[in-house]
Amino acid sequence: MLFLAFAIGKEIVRREDVQSEVTRLEQQTDSLKKQNIELAQILKEMTSENFQEKEARKKLDVQKTGETVILLPQDSDDGSRTLVVQNSSVSAVTLQEQSNPEKWWAFFFDLPNS
């Protein structure tokens, strides 16, 4: 009788351990499914044409044909500001800082170079 009670007790403990392991594995499976869905969404975003175009522009300095890129750097150490305009033919124009009246004169009266 003592042996039978011991065997039954041991089996009950083993079943509880197995059940807790099953529960833990089910939670881990759910977590991995959620992670898989998130990774699939990230992969979908990264393979989109829009994302690839943004990354090419940002990391490789690529631009579309005929597109003009304007770079506005920060103030330089000597206090002057520069505006660098770069287009698809990779030419750069630097405009030095002008006084306010000179800027207005250029805005209203200078003709663009065509």
Side-chain angles (χ1 to χ4, degrees):
M1 188 84 153
L2 187 61
F3 178 72
L4 186 59
F6 180 73
I8 291 174
K10 190 174 177 181
E11 183 64 26
I12 290 172
V13 169
R14 190 181 70 78
R15 282 187 183 213
E16 287 177 2
D17 288 345
V18 168
Q19 186 60 36
S20 67
E21 181 70 15
V22 167
T23 304
R24 186 185 66 79
L25 290 173
E26 286 175 346
Q27 290 172 347
Q28 186 178 6
T29 302
D30 291 341
S31 172
L32 289 173
K33 284 180 182 178
K34 288 178 185 177
Q35 185 179 8
N36 193 20
I37 291 170
E38 290 172 3
L39 290 173
Q41 289 174 345
I42 291 171
L43 179 63
K44 184 178 178 181
E45 290 173 12
M46 292 181 89
T47 56
S48 73
E49 193 172 315
N50 234 1
F51 178 82
Q52 291 176 355
E53 185 177 322
K54 282 182 185 178
E55 289 298 306
R57 289 171 186 269
K58 183 169 42 173
K59 293 183 179 177
L60 303 175
D61 294 330
V62 175
Q63 57 195 17
K64 290 183 180 179
T65 307
E67 184 177 60
T68 301
V69 178
I70 300 174
L71 305 173
L72 301 171
Q74 295 179 347
D75 294 341
S76 61
D77 292 338
D78 62 358
S80 64
R81 295 182 192 163
T82 58
L83 170 66
V84 179
V85 180
Q86 182 179 5
N87 61 21
S88 59
S89 65
V90 191
S91 65
V93 176
T94 302
L95 301 175
Q96 295 299 328
E97 186 173 332
Q98 300 172 330
S99 68
N100 206 22
E102 290 174 332
K103 289 178 187 177
W104 282 108
W105 183 268
F107 179 76
F108 285 112
F109 298 111
D110 283 352
L111 297 175
N113 297 334
S114 306

